[in-house]
C-alpha cells in the first residue's frame, strides 16, 4: 500500500514539474513584452504579430500599435489601436492612447460619440440575435391573435412593447456597428493623394492625412474609394489604406 | 368667563406693579399746524430708579393705527436724557428716550392717535392718546418747509418688467433757503433696481408756484423687477438754514454775513410724493425663442474677421447691437452647435453714448474654431427684443456666413488642464500624477484577454439566416396549428372530417392484420369513415345501400362501387358464416386500397 502511495506521489511530482517547465516557456506575447521593455521594438513588433496570428487579442493589437509608434510608424499605430478599441470598445486606456497618437499626427482626438459607444455595449452578433428574436416575436404577436380572432392580454402587450423597444435599440446599433466596420485608416506616414478615379494617373481629388479615418464608399481592383474625416473624397491605393475589418 | 376676566385683571395688576417706575407720554409738537405743515409725534419713555441709573431699551416698533389722511413717516429715536435729582438726601435717577415720527396732513381737521399698548423690557406699556389739529393755511402764513424744499422724481406711469428707464431726481430748494449739506438719497422701491446716485449733480434755476428755486438734479435709471403696482419713493436728508434764522435784525453781530457763517442749520427729511408705477409683465404671446430679456429698440450687425482659415485656426464672429434699451441685461445669444465648428462663450464690450442714457453699442465676440476642412457655414445669428413702443417682439436674424477652411499645417497640441479649471475645486492633496501623452504611449497592456470576435459579414452569416429561418418556420407552424384548432372549434363539418380521417388511419392500420375477421371489420369501418370524410356526413353506421346511393350521387366510379359492394358482401359472408380466415385477403386489400384512393 505504501509503495503504491510513493509511486503515485512520484507521478504527481513529475507531472507538476513538467507543467512548470512548460509554463516557463515564453509565448510570443510575452516575448513581445520582453523585447519592448528592452527597447527592441522590431523584435517586439514581430512577436506581437506572431501572437496575433494565433489569437487576436486587444492587448496584442494595442502593444503592436505601441511598437509601431516607437518605430516611427504612427499611422500604422493608429490602425492597430483602432482595431484594439474595436475588440475592447470600453477600454479607456486604449482610447486615450489612440487620441494621443492621433494628436501627434495633427488630427483631432476623435473621441467616439455616445451613439457609437452605446451601440458597442453588446457585440454585433448579440444585437442581431436580439433584433431577429424581437422581430419575429413582434410579427407573431401581430399576426397570430388575428388568425385566432382573439384579443391580446396584458402579458402579450408587455411582450409587444419589449419587442418594439428591443427592435428600436438593436436596429440602429447593428447599423452603427456595421458602418464602423466600413471604415478604415490611412496607414501611410506621409499625406497621400486621393484620385478622381481608381488609377494612380487619375487627377488628384483630395488629400488624406496619415492616420486619418475614412469611410469606404466603393472598391475596385487595387483601390478603395473613401471619404475622409476632412470630407475629402477619392480613390486611394489599398497599400495606403487599411479597412478596420481587415 | 369670570375666571378669564379675573386672570386678565391679575395680569394687568402684576404688569403695572412691575413697571411702576416707567412712564410713557405722547404729544404732537407743535400741536397745531397749517395744512401741509409737519408736526412731530413724540413718544417719550421715562424710567426712574432710586438706586442706579436705569438703562433704556431701544424701541423698534410702535403699533400706531392708521389715521385717515395723516401721513406719518421718518420714525427715529432721539438721544435721551439722564438726570439725577437729590431731594432731602434722597437720590432719584431718571433716564428717558424719545421716539419721534413726522406727521403731516394735506387736509384740515383734528387727528387723534388713540392710546395703544406696546411691549417694553418684557412688559406692556400704555401710550396715551395725542391730538394734532390741522388748520387751513392763511394767505399771510409763512411758507412751510415742504414748500421751501421738496423732492421730485419724474417716473413714468407704466413700465414693463426689465425695461430700464432714465429718471431725474430733482431737489428743489427755495432761493431764500441756504443748503448746507445733504446725505445720499434713500429709496423705498423694492420692485425696482435703481442705479447708484451720481457723485456730481447738475444745478439750475426754476420757477415753481411763484417762487424761485435752485434745482439740484441727479440722473438715475430704474428697472422694474416684478409686475404689479410698485411703489417708487425717494428720501433725502438735507441740512439747511431756513429764512427766519437768517433774519439779522436782532443779531448782536448786526449783519447777515455772520449769520451765514455761524447760523444754526436744521436737518430735514424730504420725500418725493408717493408714486406708484404700473409694472406689466412681458407678453408671452409671440415671444421668440431667441428672446433673452432685451427691451428697447436695437439694430444688429454681424461680421466675421475673415472668410477663410485653416483647421484649428480660430476666427471671430462679431455681433454688434446698437440702439437704446437695457444693454446691461442683454446677454450674447447662444450659438447653436454647428457641425464642423466648436465655439466658446462670447466676450462682450459696451460703449455707452455720452449724450443719451441707455443709448450705446454692445458688441459680442464669438471665437469659432473649425474642426474640419471645407466650405463651412457658421450658425445663423438671431437676436430678439421687445419694443415697448409698439408693444411687440422684434426678431433680427442674420444669414449664416460661409468660411472656407483649409487643412491644418500644424499638429494639434494636447490639451492639459489649466490652473483656472482647478480653481473651483476644493483643495486636496494630490497623490496621483497624471501621465503625459508621451509617458502614456510607452505603457503596454500585459493582460491578453480575449476580446470580441469581429465578424464582418454577419448579415449573410448562417446565424442570421438560421435565426430567421427558425422564426419563419415557427411562425408558419404556429399559424397553421392555430388555424386548424380554430376550424375544429368553429366548423362542425371540418371537425367531423378531421375526426373521420383520424379514425380512418387507425382502421387502415388495423386492416393490415392477417386475421380475416379483423381485416373485414376494419375495411368496412375504413370505407364508412372515408365516405364520412368525403361527404362530411356521419356515415359510420351506414349500410352499403345507403353508401351506394351517396357514391352514385357524388359520381364515384362504377367499378369502385362494384368493388365496394363485393367487399361488403365478402365481409358479411365472412362474418355470418363463422369462418376464421380467408385465403384471398390479398385481393381484398387491393380492392380496399382502390376504394379508399377513389374516395
Amino acid at each position: 500500500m505504501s509503495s503504491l502511495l510513493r509511486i503515485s506521489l512520484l507521478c504527481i511530482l513529475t507531472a507538476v514539474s513538467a507543467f512548470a517547465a512548460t509554463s516557463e516557456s515564453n509565448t510570443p506575447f510575452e516575448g513581445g513584452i520582453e523585447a519592448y521593455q528592452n527597447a527592441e521594438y522590431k523584435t517586439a513588433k514581430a512577436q506581437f504579430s506572431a501572437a496575433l496570428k494565433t489569437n487576436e487579442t486587444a492587448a496584442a493589437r494595442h502593444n503592436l500599435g505601441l511598437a509601431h509608434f516607437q518605430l516611427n510608424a504612427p499611422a500604422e499605430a493608429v490602425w492597430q489601436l483602432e482595431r484594439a478599441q474595436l475588440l475592447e470598445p470600453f477600454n479607456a486606456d486604449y482610447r486615450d492612447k489612440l487620441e494621443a497618437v492621433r494628436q501627434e499626427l495633427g488630427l483631432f482626438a476623435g473621441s467616439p460619440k455616445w451613439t457609437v459607444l452605446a451601440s458597442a455595449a453588446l457585440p454585433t452578433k448579440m444585437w442581431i440575435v436580439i433584433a431577429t428574436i424581437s422581430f419575429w416575436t413582434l410579427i407573431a404577436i401581430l399576426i397570430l391573435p388575428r388568425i385566432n380572432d382573439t384579443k391580446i392580454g396584458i402579458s402579450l402587450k408587455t411582450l409587444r412593447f419589449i419587442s418594439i423597444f428591443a427592435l428600436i435599440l438593436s436596429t440602429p446599433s447593428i447599423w452603427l456597428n456595421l458602418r464602423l466596420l466600413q471604415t478604415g485608416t490611412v496607414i501611410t506616414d506621409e499625406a497621400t493623394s486621393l484620385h478622381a478615379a481608381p488609377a494612380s494617373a487619375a487627377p488628384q481629388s483630395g488629400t488624406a492625412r496619415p492616420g486619418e479615418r475614412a469611410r469606404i464608399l466603393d472598391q475596385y481592383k487595387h483601390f478603395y474609394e473613401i471619404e475622409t474625416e476632412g470630407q475629402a473624397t477619392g480613390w486611394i491605393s489599398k497599400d495606403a489604406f487599411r479597412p478596420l475589418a481587415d | 368667563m369670570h375666571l378669564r376676566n379675573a386672570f386678565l385683571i391679575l395680569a394687568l395688576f402684576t404688569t403695572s406693579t412691575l413697571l411702576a417706575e416707567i412712564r410713557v407720554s405722547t404729544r404732537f409738537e407743535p400741536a397745531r399746524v397749517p395744512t401741509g405743515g409737519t408736526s412731530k409725534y413724540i413718544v417719550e419713555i421715562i424710567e426712574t430708579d432710586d438706586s442706579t441709573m436705569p438703562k433704556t431699551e431701544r424701541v423698534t416698533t410702535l403699533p400706531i393705527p392708521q389715521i385717515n389722511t395723516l401721513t406719518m413717516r421718518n420714525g427715529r429715536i432721539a438721544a435721551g436724557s439722564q438726570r439725577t435729582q437729590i431731594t432731602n438726601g434722597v437720590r432719584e435717577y431718571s433716564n428717558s428716550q424719545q421716539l419721534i415720527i413726522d406727521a403731516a396732513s394735506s387736509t384740515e381737521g383734528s387727528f387723534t392717535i388713540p392710546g395703544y399698548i406696546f411691549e417694553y423690557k418684557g412688559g406692556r406699556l400704555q401710550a396715551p392718546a395725542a391730538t394734532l389739529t390741522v388748520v387751513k393755511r392763511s394767505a399771510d402764513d409763512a411758507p412751510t418747509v415742504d414748500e421751501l424744499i421738496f423732492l421730485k422724481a419724474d417716473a413714468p406711469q407704466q413700465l414693463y418688467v426689465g425695461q430700464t428707464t432714465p429718471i431725474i431726481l430733482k431737489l428743489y430748494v427755495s432761493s431764500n433757503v441756504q443748503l448746507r449739506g445733504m446725505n445720499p438719497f434713500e429709496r423705498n422701491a423694492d420692485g425696482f433696481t435703481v442705479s447708484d446716485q451720481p457723485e456730481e449733480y447738475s444745478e439750475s434755476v426754476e420757477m415753481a408756484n411763484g417762487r424761485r428755486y435752485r434745482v439740484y438734479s441727479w440722473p438715475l435709471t430704474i428697472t422694474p423687477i416684478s409686475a404689479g403696482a410698485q411703489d417708487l419713493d425717494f428720501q433725502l436728508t438735507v441740512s439747511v438754514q431756513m429764512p427766519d434764522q437768517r433774519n439779522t435784525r436782532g443779531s448782536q453781530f448786526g449783519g447777515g454775513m455772520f449769520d451765514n457763517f455761524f447760523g444754526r442749520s436744521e436737518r430735514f427729511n424730504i420725500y418725493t410724493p408717493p408714486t406708484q408705477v404700473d409694472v406689466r409683465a412681458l407678453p408671452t404671446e409671440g415671444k421668440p425663442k431667441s428672446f433673452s430679456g432685451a427691451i428697447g429698440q436695437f439694430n444688429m450687425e454681424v461680421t466675421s474677421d475673415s472668410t477663410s482659415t485653416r483647421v484649428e485656426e480660430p476666427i471671430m464672429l462679431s455681433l454688434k447691437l446698437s440702439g437704446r434699451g437695457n444693454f446691461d441685461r442683454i446677454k450674447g445669444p447662444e450659438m447653436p452647435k454647428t457641425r464642423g465648428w466648436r465655439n466658446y462663450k462670447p466676450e462682450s464690450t459696451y460703449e455707452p453714448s455720452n449724450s443719451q442714457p441707455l443709448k450705446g453699442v454692445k458688441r459680442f465676440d464669438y471665437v469659432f474654431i473649425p474642426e474640419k476642412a471645407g466650405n463651412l457655414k457658421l450658425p445663423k445669428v438671431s437676436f430678439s427684443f421687445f419694443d415697448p413702443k409698439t408693444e411687440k417682439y422684434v426678431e433680427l436674424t442674420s444669414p449664416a456666413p460661409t468660411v472656407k477652411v483649409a487643412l491644418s499645417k500644424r499638429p494639434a497640441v494636447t490639451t492639459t488642464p489649466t490652473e483656472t479649471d482647478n480653481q473651483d475645486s476644493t483643495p486636496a492633496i494630490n497623490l496621483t500624477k497624471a501621465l503625459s501623452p508621451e509617458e502614456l504611449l510607452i505603457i503596454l497592456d500585459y493582460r491578453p484577454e480575449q476580446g470580441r470576435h469581429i465578424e464582418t459579414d454577419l448579415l449573410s452569416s448562417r446565424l442570421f439566416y438560421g435565426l430567421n429561418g427558425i422564426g419563419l418556420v415557427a411562425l408558419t407552424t404556429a399559424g397553421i396549428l392555430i388555424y386548424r384548432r380554430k376550424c375544429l372549434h368553429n366548423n362542425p363539418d371540418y371537425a367531423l372530417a378531421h375526426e373521420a380521417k383520424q379514425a380512418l388511419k387507425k382502421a387502415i392500420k388495423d386492416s393490415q392484420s392477417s386475421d380475416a375477421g379483423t381485416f373485414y371489420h376494419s375495411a368496412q369501418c375504413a370505407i364508412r369513415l372515408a365516405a364520412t370524410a368525403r361527404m362530411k356526413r356521419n356515415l359510420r353506421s351506414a349500410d352499403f345501400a345507403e353508401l351506394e346511393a351517396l357514391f352514385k350521387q357524388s359520381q364515384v366510379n362504377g367499378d369502385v362501387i362494384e368493388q365496394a359492394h363485393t367487399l361488403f358482401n365478402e365481409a358479411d359472408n365472412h362474418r355470418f358464416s363463422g369462418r376464421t380466415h380467408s385465403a384471398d385477403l390479398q385481393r381484398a386489400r387491393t380492392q380496399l386500397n382502390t376504394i379508399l384512393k377513389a374516395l
Side-chain angles (χ1 to χ4, degrees):
Chain A
M1 184 67 187
S2 61
S3 61
L4 190 65
L5 191 67
R6 281 176 196 161
I7 291 166
S8 304
L9 279 170
L10 189 66
C11 287
I12 290 165
L13 281 171
T14 312
V16 167
S17 57
F19 177 75
T22 313
S23 61
E24 273 173 12
S25 67
N26 273 358
T27 61
F29 183 84
E30 287 165 346
I33 287 175
E34 201 175 324
Y36 188 94
Q37 285 168 343
N38 294 330
E40 296 163 2
Y41 299 121
K42 281 187 181 173
T43 313
K45 176 184 151 189
Q47 290 285 342
F48 287 131
S49 299
L52 284 166
K53 276 179 189 166
T54 54
N55 183 20
E56 185 181 23
T57 61
R61 281 280 171 215
H62 161 264
N63 294 350
L64 181 58
L66 296 193
H68 276 291
F69 182 74
Q70 300 299 341
L71 290 167
N72 283 327
E76 178 68 31
V78 167
W79 187 89
Q80 297 292 347
L81 289 169
E82 294 264 23
R83 179 85 180 180
Q85 209 185 356
L86 198 64
L87 293 163
E88 274 189 29
F90 294 101
N91 192 319
D93 194 33
Y94 294 175
R95 196 180 309 146
D96 290 344
K97 288 175 186 172
L98 175 61
E99 288 171 5
V101 178
R102 280 174 59 85
Q103 285 181 332
E104 286 279 337
L105 285 165
L107 300 167
F108 294 108
S111 304
K113 290 181 183 172
W114 70 269
T115 47
V116 174
L117 283 175
S119 68
L122 292 174
T124 316
K125 190 186 275 185
M126 192 56 72
W127 282 124
I128 285 176
V129 171
I130 290 170
T132 311
I133 290 172
S134 52
F135 172 76
W136 285 110
T137 308
L138 184 63
I139 295 288
I141 293 168
L142 291 175
I143 292 175
L144 296 181
R146 287 171 196 271
I147 293 174
N148 203 27
D149 287 337
T150 52
K151 286 185 177 176
I152 59 172
I154 187 72
S155 54
L156 280 179
K157 278 182 181 171
T158 310
L159 191 60
R160 185 176 66 186
F161 172 77
I162 293 168
S163 303
I164 291 169
F165 184 70
L167 205 57
I168 288 171
L169 270 184
S170 54
T171 313
S173 300
I174 292 167
W175 182 79
L176 282 169
N177 283 342
L178 294 179
R179 191 180 157 86
L180 186 65
L181 288 175
Q182 287 172 353
T183 60
T185 309
V186 178
I187 53 169
T188 55
D189 292 330
E190 298 288 332
T192 309
S193 299
L194 298 177
H195 300 280
S200 304
Q204 186 180 344
S205 63
T207 306
R209 287 176 288 173
E212 197 172 6
R213 284 179 193 144
R215 192 161 61 90
I216 301 169
L217 304 173
D218 198 2
Q219 60 175 314
Y220 181 78
K221 290 188 177 174
H222 200 59
F223 284 87
Y224 287 115
E225 188 185 15
I226 59 168
E227 184 188 9
T228 65
E229 285 175 80
Q231 308 284 297
T233 306
W235 294 86
I236 189 169
S237 166
K238 285 185 176 177
D239 295 332
F241 182 83
R242 188 182 300 168
L244 207 51
D246 199 1
Chain B
M1 191 69 180
H2 291 293
L3 186 66
R4 201 181 70 178
N5 287 342
F7 183 76
L8 194 62
I9 290 162
L10 181 67
L12 282 170
F13 176 76
T14 311
T15 308
S16 60
T17 307
L18 284 171
L19 300 174
E21 293 179 359
I22 304 175
R23 295 194 311 276
V24 182
S25 66
T26 60
R27 65 181 184 278
F28 278 101
E29 203 175 276
R32 184 184 174 88
V33 290
T35 51
T38 305
S39 175
K40 289 175 184 170
Y41 174 68
I42 302 171
V43 179
E44 191 169 26
I45 304 167
I46 305 166
E47 294 180 60
T48 55
D49 200 320
D50 295 338
S51 54
T52 56
M53 180 64 74
K55 287 184 179 175
T56 57
E57 184 183 87
R58 188 180 175 85
V59 177
T60 52
T61 57
L62 288 174
I64 300 170
Q66 178 72 36
I67 310 294
N68 292 334
T69 56
L70 189 68
T71 307
M72 300 192 74
R73 60 193 177 191
N74 189 28
R76 57 202 182 272
I77 297 174
S81 64
Q82 292 183 347
R83 199 173 60 167
T84 306
Q85 190 175 351
I86 305 169
T87 310
N88 297 328
V90 178
R91 285 174 184 267
E92 186 185 67
Y93 301 94
S94 71
N95 195 354
S96 70
Q97 66 169 315
Q98 285 187 338
L99 289 94
I100 303 171
I101 304 167
D102 291 340
S105 174
S106 55
T107 57
E108 55 197 284
S110 180
F111 301 93
T112 301
I113 294 179
Y116 52 87
I117 292 171
F118 65 97
E119 291 195 351
Y120 184 75
K121 285 192 172 178
R124 290 153 69 87
L125 295 180
Q126 171 78 42
T131 302
L132 172 69
T133 306
V134 181
V135 295
K136 192 176 179 184
R137 173 181 297 279
S138 62
D140 55 345
D141 272 350
T144 63
V145 175
D146 291 346
E147 285 172 339
L148 294 173
I149 314 167
F150 59 93
L151 196 61
K152 272 174 76 176
D154 55 343
Q157 290 183 338
Q158 183 203 313
L159 284 173
Y160 283 95
V161 174
Q163 180 184 356
T164 304
T165 309
I167 61 167
I168 296 176
L169 185 66
K170 288 181 174 178
L171 171 66
Y172 287 76
V173 181
S174 178
S175 56
N176 54 352
V177 174
Q178 188 166 357
L179 183 68
R180 289 290 179 84
M182 69 180 99
N183 291 343
F185 69 77
E186 292 173 16
R187 59 179 179 256
N188 171 29
D190 292 342
F192 295 86
T193 56
V194 183
S195 62
D196 292 335
Q197 183 179 6
E199 286 183 6
E200 292 183 1
Y201 51 81
S202 61
E203 196 173 340
S204 60
V205 174
E206 280 186 31
M207 292 297 290
N209 303 324
R211 284 196 181 84
R212 193 161 175 267
Y213 290 93
R214 290 192 307 282
V215 181
Y216 304 90
S217 305
W218 292 271
L220 303 172
T221 57
I222 57 166
T223 309
I225 52 175
S226 53
Q230 302 292 345
D231 291 327
L232 181 67
D233 301 321
F234 294 91
Q235 176 193 339
L236 201 60
T237 304
V238 293
S239 178
V240 293
Q241 190 174 359
M242 299 305 279
D244 55 339
Q245 291 170 355
R246 293 176 61 200
N247 189 349
T248 59
R249 274 178 287 185
S251 170
Q252 56 182 325
F253 294 104
M257 185 180 74
F258 289 100
D259 280 341
N260 282 346
F261 280 107
F262 303 111
R264 191 166 63 88
S265 293
E266 273 190 274
R267 287 169 68 84
F268 294 100
N269 290 306
I270 51 172
Y271 306 87
T272 51
T275 308
Q276 277 201 328
V277 180
D278 176 22
V279 180
R280 295 181 177 183
L282 289 171
T284 51
E285 192 182 339
K287 186 189 280 187
K289 281 185 180 175
S290 58
F291 180 73
S292 64
I295 302 174
Q297 290 91 34
F298 302 96
N299 292 314
M300 183 176 77
E301 188 186 340
V302 178
T303 53
S304 64
D305 66 346
S306 175
T307 55
S308 62
T309 183
R310 289 184 175 276
V311 172
E312 282 294 297
E313 289 180 13
I315 65 160
M316 191 181 288
L317 184 74
S318 298
L319 166 69
K320 199 188 278 184
L321 298 171
S322 58
R324 181 188 168 90
N326 54 350
F327 277 103
D328 57 329
R329 289 174 172 246
I330 298 176
K331 292 175 184 172
E334 284 285 327
M335 289 292 167
K337 281 270 177 192
T338 311
R339 199 178 167 205
W341 295 100
R342 67 174 190 273
N343 62 296
Y344 299 95
K345 286 190 175 176
E347 296 272 329
S348 69
T349 51
Y350 177 57
E351 292 173 19
S353 166
N354 292 328
S355 57
Q356 294 184 49
L358 306 181
K359 196 173 180 186
V361 177
K362 194 161 190 176
R363 178 178 161 148
F364 297 96
D365 292 325
Y366 295 84
V367 173
F368 279 83
I369 299 175
E371 293 179 333
K372 61 181 183 181
N375 285 328
L376 304 182
K377 279 193 171 183
L378 286 163
K380 282 183 182 177
V381 182
S382 292
F383 170 75
S384 57
F385 59 92
F386 181 74
D387 187 345
K389 284 187 178 172
T390 58
E391 300 186 334
K392 282 181 181 172
Y393 291 98
V394 179
E395 186 165 35
L396 308 172
T397 305
S398 81
T402 303
V403 178
K404 193 175 179 182
V405 181
L407 288 169
S408 175
K409 278 186 171 177
R410 58 192 167 94
V413 180
T414 310
T415 53
T416 51
T418 57
E419 284 182 9
T420 50
D421 292 339
N422 298 325
Q423 278 175 356
D424 294 335
S425 59
T426 51
I429 302 166
N430 193 6
L431 297 174
T432 58
K433 175 183 171 287
L435 296 178
S436 67
E438 290 76 19
E439 289 171 326
L440 196 69
L441 284 171
I442 57 173
I443 299 169
L444 293 176
D445 188 345
Y446 295 85
R447 298 150 302 156
E449 291 171 9
Q450 193 64 45
R452 288 183 182 176
H453 186 59
I454 299 169
E455 288 178 86
T456 52
D457 295 326
L458 275 170
L459 290 182
S460 54
S461 66
R462 269 187 284 178
L463 171 81
F464 184 71
Y465 285 119
L467 274 175
N468 282 293
I470 291 167
L472 183 64
V473 169
L475 182 67
T476 311
T477 311
I480 291 167
L481 287 174
I482 288 170
Y483 181 74
R484 255 178 80 178
R485 200 180 66 177
K486 182 185 156 189
C487 288
L488 283 172
H489 191 69
N490 296 339
N491 190 341
D493 291 344
Y494 181 85
L496 182 68
H498 178 261
E499 199 181 339
K501 279 176 189 170
Q502 296 295 322
L504 178 62
K505 281 180 192 169
K506 187 175 180 301
I508 291 169
K509 194 177 175 185
D510 291 345
S511 69
Q512 301 301 319
S513 170
S514 56
D515 178 52
T518 309
F519 168 75
Y520 281 117
H521 175 73
S522 303
Q524 280 183 315
C525 280
I527 291 167
R528 286 187 183 115
L529 287 167
T532 301
R534 174 163 177 165
M535 309 298 172
K536 295 188 173 55
R537 279 178 59 185
N538 191 355
L539 299 169
R540 291 178 179 202
S541 55
D543 58 7
F544 182 73
E546 195 178 348
L547 289 173
E548 188 180 18
L550 286 169
F551 286 166
K552 283 178 180 172
Q553 197 179 339
S554 58
Q555 296 177 342
V556 177
N557 194 336
D559 290 344
V560 174
I561 296 171
E562 189 57 38
Q563 284 184 4
H565 189 200
T566 311
L567 193 68
F568 266 76
N569 282 340
E570 281 290 324
D572 288 344
N573 289 339
H574 187 85
R575 183 178 171 194
F576 296 117
S577 66
R579 285 179 293 182
T580 54
H581 61 88
S582 170
D584 204 9
L585 273 183
Q586 190 57 40
R587 189 175 63 86
R589 276 203 183 90
T590 312
Q591 279 181 336
L592 177 64
N593 287 337
T594 311
I595 294 161
L596 291 178
K597 276 181 186 172
L599 290 175

